[in-house]
């Protein structure tokens, strides 16, 4: 595969769209446009991307704060609650309290 | 009648002037849409959107540029918006109902596009070039389509894209270089193309 034949093929490929003629839309397209023009025009309200991004960032921060709070809350209780529930299950409350230093 | 006059009459509600304006620009708008979107129904939809925008915004046209430049600018913006929308749809396709149960094909994948203005003998090669154009960055696509396909002057492209002429020239050079690279890679991956 030599570079000349590759370049020739690339040139031919690029030329293939140079010789194209302009495509014409369907004759009925103008009627469709007229029909749409007869419908009362209401311009869509576009919300700027900046506001959407800011709202998304706020929601993410809120969710992360909630998750963090739950995590911290659970982390402080998990040792004691876990040990006490196991102790209660096996009815060894005193031993558990000794282990926990209570 | 000049496009500026037709636009003025359109802004006063003259439907006949609007029709003449449509006749004057419909093939340019539709053809540009076809090269961007490479999908006939999408190109028709955006052509409608462009002319509806032209009709409703005709009163706001201040004549800072030619009507042709303004209509091309509306067309380019609408096409790029549609392309971005299509890309978003594709990205989320796998989350929503991705697969068509009958064929297993991705619902948002569009079939290969055949430009109606390209002769039969060039269809295959043109299809490869169109695919390559789709891989270019947006601004390179715009510069290339307007220059190579629509034959718009570099000065008008700079007005449409709101860039300097030098910047447009640079975009065109990069677009051509990238296209040559993409097509060259395609050639390397498909040995025997040289026999066609």
């Amino acid at each position: 595969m030599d570079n000349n034949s590759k370049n020739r093929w690339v040139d031919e490929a690029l030329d293939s769209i140079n010789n194209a003629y302009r495509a014409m839309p369907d004759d009925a397209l103008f009627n469709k446009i007229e029909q749409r023009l007869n419908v009362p025009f209401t311009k869509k309200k576009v919300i700027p991307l900046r506001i959407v991004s800011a709202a998304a960032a706020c929601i993410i921060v809120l969710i992360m704060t909630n998750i963090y709070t739950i995590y911290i809350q659970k982390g402080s209780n998990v040792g004691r609650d876990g040990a006490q529930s196991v102790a209660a299950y096996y009815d060894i409350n005193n031993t558990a309290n000794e282990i926990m230093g209570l | 009648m000049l496009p500026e006059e037709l636009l003025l009459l359109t802004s006063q509600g003259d439907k006949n002037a609007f029709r003449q304006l449509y006749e004057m620009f419909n093939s340019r708008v539709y053809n540009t849409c076809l090269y961007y979107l490479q999908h006939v129904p999408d190109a028709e939809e955006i052509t409608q959107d462009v002319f509806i925008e032209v009709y409703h915004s005709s009163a706001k046209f201040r004549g800072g540029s030619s009507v042709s430049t303004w209509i091309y600018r509306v067309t380019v913006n609408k096409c790029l918006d549609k392309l971005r929308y299509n890309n978003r749809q594709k990205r989320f396709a796998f989350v929503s109902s991705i697969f068509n149960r009958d064929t297993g094909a991705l619902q948002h994948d569009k079939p290969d596009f055949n430009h109606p203005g390209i002769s039969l003998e060039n269809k295959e090669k043109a299809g490869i070039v169109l695919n390559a154009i789709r891989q270019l960055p947006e601004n390179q696509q715009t510069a290339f389509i307007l220059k190579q396909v629509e034959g718009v002057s570099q000065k008008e492209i700079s007005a449409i894209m709101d860039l300097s002429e030098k910047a447009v020239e640079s975009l065109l050079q990069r677009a051509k270089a990238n296209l040559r690279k993409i097509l060259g890679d395609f050639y390397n991956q498909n040995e025997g193309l040289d026999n066609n």
Side-chain angles (χ1 to χ4, degrees), chain A:
Chain A
M1 216 184 330
D2 63 298
N3 257 351
N4 281 343
S5 54
K6 181 167 114 177
N7 285 335
R8 201 176 52 238
W9 183 85
V10 170
D11 288 335
E12 282 171 13
L14 288 171
D15 277 346
S16 68
I17 59 161
N18 287 342
N19 303 321
Y21 62 86
R22 248 187 236 277
M24 293 294 290
D26 193 80
D27 289 341
L29 198 68
F30 188 74
N31 294 335
K32 287 181 191 168
I33 293 170
E34 272 193 318
Q35 276 170 16
R36 282 178 63 183
L37 285 176
N38 291 332
V39 177
F41 180 67
T42 48
K43 197 150 187 151
K44 283 179 198 164
K45 196 177 178 196
V46 180
I47 302 168
L49 190 65
R50 232 179 320 139
I51 293 176
V52 176
S53 309
C58 287
I59 291 168
I60 290 168
V61 167
L62 198 66
I63 292 169
M64 295 303 281
T65 312
N66 274 292
I67 291 170
Y68 182 70
T69 311
I70 292 166
Y71 179 76
I72 294 290
Q73 197 87 21
K74 272 202 154 183
S76 62
N77 292 334
V78 73
R80 185 171 298 178
D81 288 354
Q84 280 178 347
S85 64
V86 170
Y89 183 78
Y90 290 105
D91 199 21
I92 48 170
N93 262 335
N94 290 338
T95 322
N97 285 340
E98 279 168 27
I99 293 167
M100 300 284 297
L102 298 171

Side-chain angles (χ1 to χ4, degrees), chain B residues 166-177:
Chain B
K166 281 228 164 203
V168 171
E169 197 179 328
S170 153
L171 274 178
L172 278 167
Q173 278 172 0
R174 274 184 281 154
K176 282 177 195 167

Side-chain angles (χ1 to χ4, degrees), chain A residues 11-13 21-23 36, chain B residues 31 48-49 117 125 150 180:
Chain A
D11 288 335
E12 282 171 13
Y21 62 86
R22 248 187 236 277
R36 282 178 63 183
Chain B
N31 211 45
Q48 286 182 45
D49 290 351
K125 276 180 187 156
E150 282 299 300
R180 291 196 79 85

Side-chain angles (χ1 to χ4, degrees), chain B residues 59-174:
Chain B
K60 291 180 199 155
F61 180 74
R62 293 279 170 261
S65 58
S66 72
V67 174
S68 155
T69 302
W70 180 58
I71 292 179
Y72 267 125
R73 195 181 299 149
V74 174
T75 308
V76 167
N77 288 338
K78 295 248 177 233
C79 286
L80 290 176
D81 284 347
K82 181 70 178 172
L83 275 180
R84 288 178 201 135
Y85 173 80
N86 287 348
N87 287 337
R88 274 202 304 275
Q89 291 289 94
K90 266 190 216 163
R91 240 175 276 144
F92 288 110
F94 75 99
V95 180
S96 59
S97 55
I98 312 170
F99 291 102
N100 181 329
R101 288 183 186 185
D102 298 331
T103 64
L106 272 169
Q107 279 183 356
H108 297 281
D109 272 354
K110 294 197 168 144
D112 281 346
F113 169 70
N114 277 324
H115 190 287
I118 290 168
S119 63
L120 199 63
E121 67 202 63
N122 284 329
K123 276 224 183 318
E124 198 182 336
K125 276 180 187 156
I128 297 163
V129 178
L130 289 172
N131 244 325
I133 291 173
R134 219 185 294 181
Q135 293 171 49
L136 294 175
E138 276 179 4
N139 51 5
Q140 290 180 25
Q141 259 187 67
T142 301
F144 185 83
I145 290 172
L146 291 175
K147 179 74 183 171
Q148 295 299 122
V149 178
E150 282 299 300
V152 178
S153 71
Q154 218 149 289
K155 192 177 176 188
E156 193 174 356
I157 296 173
S158 69
I160 294 166
M161 296 181 75
D162 205 13
L163 293 171
S164 69
E165 279 190 63
K166 281 228 164 203
V168 171
E169 197 179 328
S170 153
L171 274 178
L172 278 167
Q173 278 172 0
R174 274 184 281 154

